[in-house]
Amino acid sequence: MLADYETHLRTSNNKRGRPFAEKSVRSYVKAARALDQWLTAGGTDQRSDFTVCDTATLNQFFRAYFDSHDQGGTAAQQRNMRALFSWLEDEYDHAHPWRDKRFHRYAAPTGVRPQTLSHEFIEDLLRVTGNGAPRIRDEARTRDHAIIRVLTEGLRAEELLSLRLDHLHLADGLLGPVTPLKEARASGEGRIIALQPKTVVAIQRYLRARDAHKRAGEPWLWLGLNNRPRLKYSGLYRMVRRRTEEANYTSVHPHQFRHTMVDDLLSGGVAEGDVMQMAGWKSREMLNRYAADMASTRAVSAVKRMGDRY
């Protein structure tokens, strides 16, 4: 049943009439697998038969999940699992728990501020990957340094991993158009990223190392190490975690670089509308959320720069 569900996700469209993004497929399947494992651990003999899950059983699962995770994680798990029960309703005429008034919902937490990375942390992370030294010939350090540099430009993980060679316009210091996400993808919208000079140099050095890769003819920019194919999510997350530990820090999430980019631009005096354009946002709600973490620091710095007002 789990395999059939995954096939359904990969061969059907979402409610907006577009194929499910690979990231969504993985999230939905992961949520279904967590439920499957919980059912098995509970001693049921119905492994992967999700039709045994009535509202009461699912409420028990989410409470157990909440006890071992946080509020936001449980809310996300509910959101990702809803597609499973919509599929069960269509294929097996299984009652949809989300339509039951007895179903216990977990709301996403509000007012959560994304954590901004310090300049010291990013500098140390760049240092352990060679700090852009021209004599560094190590494949892993050259690639990882370039990836971290591109992460500081504010790309989402999916956007970074989807980059192709034809997205590079290094002579102009530009990258793009970056593949848009969700609603923007249907309209073909994209955005151009203005690269920092050191990011351009890091990519150029990586490209020289990439030429020796067995799969150098592939269109994707980021390739795996030791002649492995295209870099994927798990490889990106493992790389960031490994380099973070090498720099003697606790692990961070790649998306935190995006939060940091927003703070860097706002602190540098870039207009909010331009920050939204660089980040690929149409709503100020996202800007407000991402900018919240360091808002007080930016305000204090701005006032201090004024000096004596009287």
Side-chain angles (χ1 to χ4, degrees):
M1 185 176 285
L2 186 59
D4 288 347
Y5 173 57
E6 183 171 359
T7 300
H8 157 74
L9 292 172
R10 296 188 183 281
T11 56
S12 59
N13 291 343
N14 59 25
K15 62 183 180 181
R16 299 183 181 89
R18 299 192 294 277
F20 286 100
E22 181 62 25
K23 184 177 180 180
S24 297
V25 173
R26 285 197 301 272
S27 297
Y28 294 168
V29 172
K30 182 179 180 181
R33 189 173 289 116
L35 176 59
D36 174 38
Q37 293 170 350
W38 180 80
L39 290 170
T40 304
T44 69
D45 296 325
Q46 303 293 331
R47 182 175 177 84
S48 291
D49 184 359
F50 299 111
T51 59
V52 302
C53 283
D54 55 13
T55 301
T57 302
L58 206 55
N59 283 340
Q60 292 176 21
F61 165 75
F62 283 122
R63 180 47 58 96
Y65 193 90
F66 174 82
D67 290 340
S68 58
H69 296 75
D70 56 17
Q71 176 79 14
T74 309
Q77 190 78 334
Q78 279 198 338
R79 184 174 62 251
N80 292 335
M81 198 176 291
R82 184 168 185 166
L84 169 65
F85 284 91
S86 295
W87 175 72
L88 290 172
E89 184 180 43
D90 292 339
E91 294 293 326
Y92 294 90
D93 199 25
H94 181 64
H96 202 310
W98 270 253
R99 307 186 198 285
D100 191 335
K101 294 182 178 179
R102 297 171 297 174
F103 179 66
H104 299 163
R105 300 174 186 272
Y106 290 79
T110 58
V112 177
R113 295 181 175 183
Q115 184 177 1
T116 301
L117 302 174
S118 69
H119 284 260
E120 292 77 14
F121 167 79
I122 294 179
E123 289 171 354
D124 287 344
L125 204 59
L126 293 171
R127 176 181 51 79
V128 299
T129 56
N131 213 25
R135 294 185 179 181
I136 296 294
R137 296 290 187 267
D138 180 74
E139 176 190 9
R141 294 174 76 187
T142 302
R143 186 204 65 172
D144 296 353
H145 183 79
I147 289 176
I148 292 169
R149 284 278 182 192
V150 174
L151 281 173
T152 67
E153 307 293 358
L155 276 71
R156 302 175 179 91
E158 182 178 350
E159 293 172 338
L160 180 140
L161 294 169
S162 299
L163 288 175
R164 302 187 307 271
L165 294 175
D166 59 2
H167 286 136
L168 300 177
H169 309 284
L170 300 183
D172 299 317
L174 301 175
L175 185 69
V178 172
T179 305
L181 303 177
K182 297 182 179 179
E183 291 83 357
R185 181 185 288 122
S187 60
E189 297 177 9
R191 69 186 192 280
I192 300 297
I193 304 296
L195 300 175
Q196 301 165 79
K198 288 185 178 180
T199 302
V200 173
V201 174
I203 295 175
Q204 289 174 327
R205 289 174 179 158
Y206 164 66
L207 290 176
R208 290 197 291 270
R210 185 184 182 281
D211 286 339
H213 199 286
K214 184 178 179 180
R215 300 175 183 267
E218 294 189 4
W220 307 109
L221 175 58
W222 308 113
L223 300 177
L225 301 176
N226 301 318
N227 292 318
R228 293 189 178 92
R230 173 188 178 187
L231 183 68
K232 296 190 176 179
Y233 289 95
S234 58
L236 174 64
Y237 295 154
R238 285 196 301 268
M239 183 277 287
V240 172
R241 182 175 64 248
R242 183 176 67 254
R243 296 304 185 184
T244 299
E245 292 172 352
E246 288 178 12
N248 296 318
Y249 290 91
T250 56
S251 183
V252 301
H253 193 281
H255 205 72
Q256 287 179 251
F257 289 89
R258 185 166 164 83
H259 306 157
T260 307
M261 179 274 294
V262 173
D263 177 61
D264 288 345
L265 297 186
L266 292 174
S267 298
V270 178
E272 292 184 351
D274 293 334
V275 174
M276 291 175 61
Q277 177 65 32
M278 292 297 296
W281 297 325
K282 291 184 177 180
S283 169
R284 286 191 56 85
E285 180 181 353
M286 292 301 296
L287 176 65
N288 293 338
R289 178 173 181 268
Y290 274 63
D293 183 36
M294 301 295 289
S296 296
T297 300
R298 288 193 302 273
V300 169
S301 298
V303 172
K304 284 187 174 181
R305 285 196 297 269
M306 296 176 65
D308 291 326
R309 300 194 300 279
Y310 303 101

PDB file of all heavy atoms in Angstrom, residues 98-116:
ATOM      1  N   TRP A  98      -9.814  13.794   8.722  1.00  0.00           N
ATOM      2  CA  TRP A  98      -9.830  15.254   8.778  1.00  0.00           C
ATOM      3  C   TRP A  98     -11.258  15.820   8.692  1.00  0.00           C
ATOM      4  O   TRP A  98     -11.480  16.964   9.042  1.00  0.00           O
ATOM      5  CB  TRP A  98      -8.984  15.832   7.650  1.00  0.00           C
ATOM      6  CG  TRP A  98      -7.540  16.042   7.999  1.00  0.00           C
ATOM      7  CD1 TRP A  98      -6.916  17.231   8.219  1.00  0.00           C
ATOM      8  CD2 TRP A  98      -6.531  15.045   8.172  1.00  0.00           C
ATOM      9  NE1 TRP A  98      -5.584  17.029   8.502  1.00  0.00           N
ATOM     10  CE2 TRP A  98      -5.319  15.701   8.488  1.00  0.00           C
ATOM     11  CE3 TRP A  98      -6.535  13.646   8.093  1.00  0.00           C
ATOM     12  CZ2 TRP A  98      -4.124  15.014   8.714  1.00  0.00           C
ATOM     13  CZ3 TRP A  98      -5.347  12.967   8.329  1.00  0.00           C
ATOM     14  CH2 TRP A  98      -4.175  13.637   8.639  1.00  0.00           C
ATOM     15  N   ARG A  99     -12.198  15.018   8.260  1.00  0.00           N
ATOM     16  CA  ARG A  99     -13.593  15.470   8.198  1.00  0.00           C
ATOM     17  C   ARG A  99     -14.369  15.150   9.482  1.00  0.00           C
ATOM     18  O   ARG A  99     -15.542  15.493   9.592  1.00  0.00           O
ATOM     19  CB  ARG A  99     -14.296  14.811   7.002  1.00  0.00           C
ATOM     20  CG  ARG A  99     -13.575  14.997   5.675  1.00  0.00           C
ATOM     21  CD  ARG A  99     -14.398  14.449   4.513  1.00  0.00           C
ATOM     22  NE  ARG A  99     -13.594  14.224   3.340  1.00  0.00           N
ATOM     23  CZ  ARG A  99     -13.127  15.161   2.526  1.00  0.00           C
ATOM     24  NH1 ARG A  99     -13.404  16.425   2.783  1.00  0.00           N
ATOM     25  NH2 ARG A  99     -12.377  14.852   1.479  1.00  0.00           N
ATOM     26  N   ASP A 100     -13.703  14.500  10.395  1.00  0.00           N
ATOM     27  CA  ASP A 100     -14.327  14.086  11.655  1.00  0.00           C
ATOM     28  C   ASP A 100     -14.099  15.173  12.706  1.00  0.00           C
ATOM     29  O   ASP A 100     -12.964  15.606  12.941  1.00  0.00           O
ATOM     30  CB  ASP A 100     -13.710  12.760  12.110  1.00  0.00           C
ATOM     31  CG  ASP A 100     -14.480  12.123  13.256  1.00  0.00           C
ATOM     32  OD1 ASP A 100     -15.167  12.863  14.007  1.00  0.00           O
ATOM     33  OD2 ASP A 100     -14.385  10.895  13.408  1.00  0.00           O
ATOM     34  N   LYS A 101     -15.151  15.609  13.359  1.00  0.00           N
ATOM     35  CA  LYS A 101     -15.040  16.641  14.382  1.00  0.00           C
ATOM     36  C   LYS A 101     -14.206  16.174  15.575  1.00  0.00           C
ATOM     37  O   LYS A 101     -13.712  16.991  16.346  1.00  0.00           O
ATOM     38  CB  LYS A 101     -16.428  17.072  14.854  1.00  0.00           C
ATOM     39  CG  LYS A 101     -17.253  17.783  13.790  1.00  0.00           C
ATOM     40  CD  LYS A 101     -18.592  18.220  14.340  1.00  0.00           C
ATOM     41  CE  LYS A 101     -19.408  18.972  13.274  1.00  0.00           C
ATOM     42  NZ  LYS A 101     -20.734  19.384  13.794  1.00  0.00           N
ATOM     43  N   ARG A 102     -14.063  14.878  15.719  1.00  0.00           N
ATOM     44  CA  ARG A 102     -13.279  14.344  16.845  1.00  0.00           C
ATOM     45  C   ARG A 102     -11.784  14.336  16.559  1.00  0.00           C
ATOM     46  O   ARG A 102     -10.979  14.019  17.437  1.00  0.00           O
ATOM     47  CB  ARG A 102     -13.746  12.919  17.171  1.00  0.00           C
ATOM     48  CG  ARG A 102     -15.196  12.826  17.643  1.00  0.00           C
ATOM     49  CD  ARG A 102     -15.637  11.378  17.717  1.00  0.00           C
ATOM     50  NE  ARG A 102     -15.592  10.761  16.382  1.00  0.00           N
ATOM     51  CZ  ARG A 102     -15.814   9.460  16.152  1.00  0.00           C
ATOM     52  NH1 ARG A 102     -16.069   8.643  17.173  1.00  0.00           N
ATOM     53  NH2 ARG A 102     -15.769   8.988  14.926  1.00  0.00           N
ATOM     54  N   PHE A 103     -11.395  14.659  15.355  1.00  0.00           N
ATOM     55  CA  PHE A 103      -9.987  14.658  14.983  1.00  0.00           C
ATOM     56  C   PHE A 103      -9.258  15.809  15.671  1.00  0.00           C
ATOM     57  O   PHE A 103      -9.705  16.962  15.625  1.00  0.00           O
ATOM     58  CB  PHE A 103      -9.860  14.790  13.461  1.00  0.00           C
ATOM     59  CG  PHE A 103      -8.433  14.819  12.966  1.00  0.00           C
ATOM     60  CD1 PHE A 103      -7.617  13.711  13.091  1.00  0.00           C
ATOM     61  CD2 PHE A 103      -7.920  15.968  12.381  1.00  0.00           C
ATOM     62  CE1 PHE A 103      -6.318  13.734  12.639  1.00  0.00           C
ATOM     63  CE2 PHE A 103      -6.615  16.003  11.917  1.00  0.00           C
ATOM     64  CZ  PHE A 103      -5.804  14.889  12.047  1.00  0.00           C
ATOM     65  N   HIS A 104      -8.145  15.508  16.318  1.00  0.00           N
ATOM     66  CA  HIS A 104      -7.371  16.509  17.064  1.00  0.00           C
ATOM     67  C   HIS A 104      -6.350  17.158  16.132  1.00  0.00           C
ATOM     68  O   HIS A 104      -5.437  16.499  15.635  1.00  0.00           O
ATOM     69  CB  HIS A 104      -6.642  15.857  18.243  1.00  0.00           C
ATOM     70  CG  HIS A 104      -7.562  15.217  19.232  1.00  0.00           C
ATOM     71  ND1 HIS A 104      -7.147  14.300  20.179  1.00  0.00           N
ATOM     72  CD2 HIS A 104      -8.910  15.368  19.429  1.00  0.00           C
ATOM     73  CE1 HIS A 104      -8.169  13.915  20.904  1.00  0.00           C
ATOM     74  NE2 HIS A 104      -9.246  14.539  20.472  1.00  0.00           N
ATOM     75  N   ARG A 105      -6.487  18.455  15.947  1.00  0.00           N
ATOM     76  CA  ARG A 105      -5.570  19.175  15.059  1.00  0.00           C
ATOM     77  C   ARG A 105      -4.480  19.875  15.871  1.00  0.00           C
ATOM     78  O   ARG A 105      -4.719  20.322  16.990  1.00  0.00           O
ATOM     79  CB  ARG A 105      -6.343  20.210  14.229  1.00  0.00           C
ATOM     80  CG  ARG A 105      -7.421  19.586  13.347  1.00  0.00           C
ATOM     81  CD  ARG A 105      -8.253  20.652  12.657  1.00  0.00           C
ATOM     82  NE  ARG A 105      -9.367  20.057  11.922  1.00  0.00           N
ATOM     83  CZ  ARG A 105      -9.301  19.632  10.669  1.00  0.00           C
ATOM     84  NH1 ARG A 105      -8.159  19.763  10.008  1.00  0.00           N
ATOM     85  NH2 ARG A 105     -10.354  19.105  10.076  1.00  0.00           N
ATOM     86  N   TYR A 106      -3.306  19.969  15.254  1.00  0.00           N
ATOM     87  CA  TYR A 106      -2.172  20.659  15.865  1.00  0.00           C
ATOM     88  C   TYR A 106      -1.824  21.855  14.988  1.00  0.00           C
ATOM     89  O   TYR A 106      -1.428  21.691  13.832  1.00  0.00           O
ATOM     90  CB  TYR A 106      -0.974  19.722  16.001  1.00  0.00           C
ATOM     91  CG  TYR A 106      -1.180  18.644  17.037  1.00  0.00           C
ATOM     92  CD1 TYR A 106      -1.947  17.515  16.738  1.00  0.00           C
ATOM     93  CD2 TYR A 106      -0.643  18.755  18.311  1.00  0.00           C
ATOM     94  CE1 TYR A 106      -2.163  16.525  17.683  1.00  0.00           C
ATOM     95  CE2 TYR A 106      -0.842  17.767  19.270  1.00  0.00           C
ATOM     96  CZ  TYR A 106      -1.605  16.653  18.942  1.00  0.00           C
ATOM     97  OH  TYR A 106      -1.825  15.678  19.893  1.00  0.00           O
ATOM     98  N   ALA A 107      -1.983  23.038  15.541  1.00  0.00           N
ATOM     99  CA  ALA A 107      -1.720  24.256  14.775  1.00  0.00           C
ATOM    100  C   ALA A 107      -0.223  24.550  14.744  1.00  0.00           C
ATOM    101  O   ALA A 107       0.508  24.255  15.701  1.00  0.00           O
ATOM    102  CB  ALA A 107      -2.466  25.436  15.387  1.00  0.00           C
ATOM    103  N   ALA A 108       0.211  25.122  13.651  1.00  0.00           N
ATOM    104  CA  ALA A 108       1.612  25.531  13.548  1.00  0.00           C
ATOM    105  C   ALA A 108       1.868  26.663  14.531  1.00  0.00           C
ATOM    106  O   ALA A 108       1.012  27.532  14.731  1.00  0.00           O
ATOM    107  CB  ALA A 108       1.928  25.978  12.127  1.00  0.00           C
ATOM    108  N   PRO A 109       3.025  26.691  15.176  1.00  0.00           N
ATOM    109  CA  PRO A 109       3.322  27.773  16.130  1.00  0.00           C
ATOM    110  C   PRO A 109       3.428  29.110  15.417  1.00  0.00           C
ATOM    111  O   PRO A 109       3.845  29.183  14.258  1.00  0.00           O
ATOM    112  CB  PRO A 109       4.680  27.356  16.724  1.00  0.00           C
ATOM    113  CG  PRO A 109       5.279  26.435  15.708  1.00  0.00           C
ATOM    114  CD  PRO A 109       4.126  25.736  15.060  1.00  0.00           C
ATOM    115  N   THR A 110       3.020  30.153  16.094  1.00  0.00           N
ATOM    116  CA  THR A 110       3.066  31.500  15.519  1.00  0.00           C
ATOM    117  C   THR A 110       4.169  32.304  16.198  1.00  0.00           C
ATOM    118  O   THR A 110       4.573  32.013  17.333  1.00  0.00           O
ATOM    119  CB  THR A 110       1.726  32.224  15.698  1.00  0.00           C
ATOM    120  OG1 THR A 110       1.409  32.290  17.104  1.00  0.00           O
ATOM    121  CG2 THR A 110       0.613  31.472  14.983  1.00  0.00           C
ATOM    122  N   GLY A 111       4.639  33.315  15.487  1.00  0.00           N
ATOM    123  CA  GLY A 111       5.644  34.193  16.071  1.00  0.00           C
ATOM    124  C   GLY A 111       7.035  33.594  16.163  1.00  0.00           C
ATOM    125  O   GLY A 111       7.893  34.122  16.871  1.00  0.00           O
ATOM    126  N   VAL A 112       7.275  32.486  15.466  1.00  0.00           N
ATOM    127  CA  VAL A 112       8.597  31.858  15.503  1.00  0.00           C
ATOM    128  C   VAL A 112       9.563  32.650  14.631  1.00  0.00           C
ATOM    129  O   VAL A 112       9.276  32.922  13.463  1.00  0.00           O
ATOM    130  CB  VAL A 112       8.521  30.400  15.018  1.00  0.00           C
ATOM    131  CG1 VAL A 112       9.911  29.775  14.998  1.00  0.00           C
ATOM    132  CG2 VAL A 112       7.591  29.598  15.921  1.00  0.00           C
ATOM    133  N   ARG A 113      10.677  33.010  15.180  1.00  0.00           N
ATOM    134  CA  ARG A 113      11.659  33.795  14.445  1.00  0.00           C
ATOM    135  C   ARG A 113      12.753  32.879  13.876  1.00  0.00           C
ATOM    136  O   ARG A 113      13.395  32.155  14.636  1.00  0.00           O
ATOM    137  CB  ARG A 113      12.306  34.847  15.348  1.00  0.00           C
ATOM    138  CG  ARG A 113      11.333  35.904  15.845  1.00  0.00           C
ATOM    139  CD  ARG A 113      12.049  36.923  16.708  1.00  0.00           C
ATOM    140  NE  ARG A 113      11.162  38.007  17.101  1.00  0.00           N
ATOM    141  CZ  ARG A 113      11.547  39.060  17.817  1.00  0.00           C
ATOM    142  NH1 ARG A 113      12.813  39.144  18.216  1.00  0.00           N
ATOM    143  NH2 ARG A 113      10.687  40.000  18.128  1.00  0.00           N
ATOM    144  N   PRO A 114      12.981  32.908  12.577  1.00  0.00           N
ATOM    145  CA  PRO A 114      14.066  32.110  12.007  1.00  0.00           C
ATOM    146  C   PRO A 114      15.406  32.561  12.592  1.00  0.00           C
ATOM    147  O   PRO A 114      15.619  33.746  12.848  1.00  0.00           O
ATOM    148  CB  PRO A 114      13.985  32.428  10.510  1.00  0.00           C
ATOM    149  CG  PRO A 114      12.608  32.968  10.305  1.00  0.00           C
ATOM    150  CD  PRO A 114      12.249  33.662  11.566  1.00  0.00           C
ATOM    151  N   GLN A 115      16.289  31.627  12.814  1.00  0.00           N
ATOM    152  CA  GLN A 115      17.573  31.934  13.428  1.00  0.00           C
ATOM    153  C   GLN A 115      18.571  32.392  12.373  1.00  0.00           C
ATOM    154  O   GLN A 115      18.826  31.718  11.390  1.00  0.00           O
ATOM    155  CB  GLN A 115      18.113  30.715  14.160  1.00  0.00           C
ATOM    156  CG  GLN A 115      19.400  30.981  14.916  1.00  0.00           C
ATOM    157  CD  GLN A 115      19.876  29.769  15.679  1.00  0.00           C
ATOM    158  OE1 GLN A 115      19.256  28.716  15.628  1.00  0.00           O
ATOM    159  NE2 GLN A 115      20.986  29.910  16.375  1.00  0.00           N
ATOM    160  N   THR A 116      19.148  33.549  12.605  1.00  0.00           N
ATOM    161  CA  THR A 116      20.155  34.106  11.704  1.00  0.00           C
ATOM    162  C   THR A 116      21.534  33.619  12.118  1.00  0.00           C
ATOM    163  O   THR A 116      21.860  33.578  13.308  1.00  0.00           O
ATOM    164  CB  THR A 116      20.110  35.645  11.740  1.00  0.00           C
ATOM    165  OG1 THR A 116      18.807  36.081  11.356  1.00  0.00           O
ATOM    166  CG2 THR A 116      21.136  36.242  10.793  1.00  0.00           C
TER     167      THR A 116
END
